[in-house]
Amino acid sequence: MPLDPRALGQSLGEELKLHSTLCRREAGAFQQAVKSGADVIVACTQEKRLFAELAENTEGAVSPIKFVNIREIGGWSRDARSAMPKIAALLAAAKLPEPEPVATVTYKSAGRLLVIGALDDAERAAALLADTLDITLFAQGGAGAQERRYPVLAGHIDRLQGWLGAFELAWTQDNPIDLDLCTRCNACVAACPEGAIGLDYQVNPDACTAQRACVKACQVAGAIDFARAPQAHTEAFDLVLDLRAHPAFTQHAPPQGYIHAPGGSPSLPDILKLRDLVGEFEKPKFFSYRQKLCAHSRNETVGCNACIEICSAEAISSDKERKQVKVNPNLCVGCGACTTVCPTGAMGYSYPRANEQGARIKAILSTYLQAGGAAPVLLLHGQERGQALVEDLGRAARVGATQGVPANVIPLPLWHVASTGIDLWLSAVAFGASQVVVLATGEEAPQYLEGLQAQMQVAEAILEGLGYSGRHFSLLQCRNANALDRELKLLAPHTGAVPRMPGRFAVTQDKRGTLELALDHLVEQARVTPEAIALPVGAPFGEVLVDKEKCTLCLSCVSACPASALQDNPLMPQLRFVEKNCVQCGLCVTTCPEDAISLRPRFVPGPGRKQPRIVNEMKPYGCIRCGKPFGTVKAIEAMLGRLAGHAMFQGAALERLKMCGDCRVIDIYSAGDEAKII
């Protein structure tokens, strides 16, 4: 792996010394560095454990230590000699401060485990866990042991919900045999002429012919009562092991603490995981939510549902009455897909925050370009399976089996690949990235891939419309190093054009604000500036089209618009529209009583998108008594036409509809030919 400490030092603005055996003969240099108090960056992850032990055993070691892998993703590649700019970029990213702490979500588990499945399967699984966990079995057929080692429940499961430390099982005990009273003497099994009772000690109603020989055989214990009414029960558990063929939770990301082993026998990793889930645990609160930006609902009318539809954990639900969505932090798994598809930025990702992720991307790309690199490709991947796949590719390249990570491809690990979207991607292009590539490894929910593809189509359409040639966004689906190697080779011919001058703006936590900064820079540097760029359906940009023949200027759409894209004019009957603000949520469409509104997704590069424009206006209707305008001619005429045949609006009552509110009251109290009830 060729390294030029002088060139790297110039790129990073510091003096570097090359160490080739820092974990062995040159360990003293590392020990000296960790006494300095300054951040120490070790460009090796293989010996991470050894360096940690060295620091622990070094007296006076106070420096924070960071590790960055430059070997598998930089030096072990067929074009490693050209990888110096990438290595400089990786080191620059490692120098950045750690993200700010985020709020946490706490789980408490006392080890109460519910095992659901055939009784024999459940007992075998319980035997592997009984020394650590407090186990209850829910029998679903099968034959159990004669010795009752664990509490056994049976009946019909009505509901299983919750998460680690807070599962709730609701079931109906609807079988004649009470398992709490049953002594497992097998007298009922032997006495039943139909063989309707198995060794799970439950009566099969389809086989039973009501001879009741079992009741006589169980007179001493009294466990069998066919007259017993079904009884509803609930019980709390901390963990659930489900051995049935069909899981209780069908979402792609089930709750933490729930494990589904459909073969009837849990795997060793499942067993180990359950044994470790006792105690108090914390995870980051991955999301932030700002209701005032949310375009989900107004007046109990639903507009945007993107976050609810894409959530693989079913952690997001609608609360139309409060004009918001609700996120259950205990169910959230931190994928960030909701933030990616949110058009307004109401749902934000917090681990790390967008501004912190943007600063990292900007540092990587600016250092890479300053070090002489060209056509940088940002490879976004998960920090577990994705990271392992990238490193596998580097190790395969070391022995000549693959090409390895190309010199211009810079991997960037994420908590989850669905956590970045159009704001960060377009910002990366504005900063100089020729391509942004997202690596999926097969563990992602299908709706995540669909959402990422849709977002990429929107971003690509904008760049293509502005004259940036080539392909800028790709979603790679690879399950092994060879597949990743092939896909990375195919990227080179499709290098996307970038702005002549990289952007200098900073990514903010406000999604729409960041988008405006990125788009402004891309438009400023654009090859062409069309009047408008057509975008795919579902894009977060576009215009509202108003059918003037249908619209009565009732302004219901104005009150429904969450982004102030539709506005009224307090001085004149006008409906105005600011295209920059429109998120295409559709609330105006569903709210309009006249069906006069439709949406057209597009992006307007010019300054006109930021200025209000009139989309409909009408002649005001003046009060027939005082002349003050109080509505539009079209709206008042429509109201008169609808109410003219109504019994309550005849004669003077119909004329009052043509008056303003003040004159209407005066006319009622001054009319001498009408009876008044006081």
Side-chain angles (χ1 to χ4, degrees), residues 42-63:
V42 180
C44 174
T45 53
Q46 161 131 355
E47 299 296 341
K48 191 173 181 178
R49 180 178 176 183
L50 176 59
F51 283 117
E53 291 176 355
L54 277 173
E56 185 179 345
N57 295 325
T58 300
E59 186 176 351
V62 292
S63 295

Side-chain angles (χ1 to χ4, degrees), residues 450-579:
E450 294 171 5
L452 289 170
Q453 289 279 25
Q455 294 288 305
M456 287 181 176
Q457 289 172 6
V458 172
E460 197 72 79
I462 292 174
L463 292 177
E464 183 179 345
L466 294 174
Y468 293 98
S469 59
R471 188 173 69 199
H472 297 83
F473 307 103
S474 300
L475 177 63
L476 307 186
Q477 300 183 51
C478 307
R479 295 176 182 269
N480 55 60
N482 288 328
L484 178 57
D485 196 47
R486 288 193 301 270
E487 292 292 339
L488 292 179
K489 289 177 186 176
L490 296 174
L491 293 177
H494 305 285
T495 300
V498 297
R500 290 180 292 273
M501 294 291 294
R504 297 179 178 273
F505 63 90
V507 172
T508 70
Q509 189 65 6
D510 177 14
K511 182 174 184 175
R512 297 293 290 197
T514 296
L515 275 171
E516 288 302 316
L517 292 171
L519 290 169
D520 284 348
H521 181 76
L522 291 167
V523 169
E524 180 185 338
Q525 302 280 320
R527 274 66 169 172
V528 295
T529 308
E531 183 178 338
I533 301 169
L535 298 179
V537 175
F541 307 104
E543 68 171 333
V544 168
L545 303 175
V546 178
D547 186 336
K548 296 181 180 181
E549 295 300 318
K550 294 181 178 180
C551 177
T552 60
L553 275 189
C554 68
L555 301 180
S556 298
C557 54
V558 173
S559 61
C561 181
S564 298
L566 288 167
Q567 303 172 357
D568 65 346
N569 185 342
L571 303 178
M572 297 181 66
Q574 290 179 340
L575 177 62
R576 299 187 294 178
F577 176 63
V578 182
E579 188 155 339

Side-chain angles (χ1 to χ4, degrees), residues 358-369:
R360 187 169 299 275
I361 291 172
K362 188 176 182 180
I364 287 173
L365 294 171
S366 62
T367 303
Y368 176 87
L369 295 171

Side-chain angles (χ1 to χ4, degrees), residues 91-343:
L91 293 173
K95 289 175 62 178
L96 294 174
E98 292 295 324
E100 290 292 321
V102 299
T104 58
V105 180
T106 301
Y107 298 90
K108 294 182 179 179
S109 168
R112 298 167 299 172
L113 171 66
L114 173 68
V115 183
I116 307 173
L119 195 52
D120 45 353
D121 291 338
E123 288 181 340
R124 281 194 297 270
L128 301 172
L129 298 162
D131 61 324
T132 306
L133 305 175
D134 179 11
I135 297 173
T136 299
L137 310 182
F138 198 103
Q140 300 275 278
Q146 296 302 300
E147 181 182 355
R148 182 160 53 180
R149 301 186 183 95
Y150 318 101
V152 180
L153 309 177
H156 177 265
I157 295 179
D158 301 314
R159 183 181 68 255
L160 177 60
Q161 62 186 20
W163 50 83
L164 175 62
F167 285 103
E168 182 184 76
L169 173 72
W171 81 98
T172 301
Q173 184 181 344
D174 54 1
N175 202 276
I177 300 180
D178 187 333
L179 290 176
D180 283 337
L181 299 176
C182 177
T183 62
R184 285 23 172 208
C185 68
N186 291 337
C188 60
V189 177
C192 180
E194 302 96 350
I197 303 176
L199 291 178
D200 61 342
Y201 305 107
Q202 296 285 275
V203 176
N204 180 355
D206 295 329
C208 179
T209 59
Q211 297 192 30
R212 304 299 187 257
C214 56
V215 177
K216 297 178 182 178
C218 193
Q219 286 181 349
V220 175
I224 306 177
D225 182 1
F226 283 87
R228 185 190 302 115
Q231 296 177 320
H233 301 276
T234 60
E235 193 164 343
F237 297 94
D238 299 310
L239 304 162
V240 177
L241 173 59
D242 193 345
L243 305 177
R244 297 173 296 175
H246 301 289
F249 298 94
T250 57
Q251 61 264 42
H252 184 272
Q256 290 177 286
Y258 172 84
I259 291 179
H260 182 227
S265 178
S267 65
L268 179 59
D270 289 340
I271 294 294
L272 296 176
K273 185 176 182 180
L274 286 169
R275 294 175 69 92
D276 287 340
L277 289 177
V278 180
E280 187 169 321
F281 307 91
E282 286 186 344
K283 72 173 183 182
K285 184 181 178 184
F286 293 99
F287 65 93
S288 60
Y289 177 63
R290 291 181 287 177
Q291 180 185 357
K292 66 179 182 179
L293 299 180
C294 185
H296 172 60
S297 63
R298 290 291 186 276
N299 303 322
E300 297 192 20
T301 299
V302 173
C304 176
N305 243 351
C307 60
I308 297 174
E309 292 170 354
I310 203 169
C311 181
S312 71
E314 297 183 4
I316 308 178
S317 58
S318 171
D319 188 351
K320 293 189 295 184
E321 292 183 1
R322 298 185 178 182
K323 306 177 184 179
Q324 65 180 7
V325 297
K326 295 189 295 184
V327 185
N328 186 326
N330 296 99
L331 293 177
C332 174
V333 295
C335 66
C338 56
T339 68
T340 297
V341 299
C342 178

